[in-house]
Amino acid sequence: MNDVGPIDCHILESALGYGPYGLYGIGESSAACTTTVTGPAIFNALGKWILDFPTTPDKILKALGKI
């Protein structure tokens, strides 16, 4: 988390009426952090960096020299 730069948050009024000021569905998506976690996890497990996202089994096998 120390490597993440500043994050700017903005409120946009949508007038949809789901909440105050028309806000709805805001929050941190689990998909937003997936790409930042999978690369180091694969490196820790296999000792090979996968820098081409999204990571797929074929890319991992290619990095391991199996394909």
Side-chain angles (χ1 to χ4, degrees):
M1 293 303 294
N2 293 334
D3 296 332
V4 176
I7 298 173
D8 294 329
C9 296
H10 303 277
I11 295 177
L12 301 175
E13 294 187 27
S14 67
L16 293 175
Y18 297 134
Y21 306 108
L23 297 176
Y24 70 99
I26 61 173
E28 185 175 331
S29 171
S30 61
C33 65
T34 303
T35 56
T36 59
V37 175
T38 56
I42 292 169
F43 177 76
N44 287 335
L46 305 175
K48 300 286 183 176
W49 282 105
I50 308 295
L51 301 176
D52 185 24
F53 295 102
T55 53
T56 62
D58 290 336
K59 292 177 184 175
I60 294 172
L61 291 173
K62 185 176 179 182
L64 292 173
K66 305 279 182 169
I67 293 181

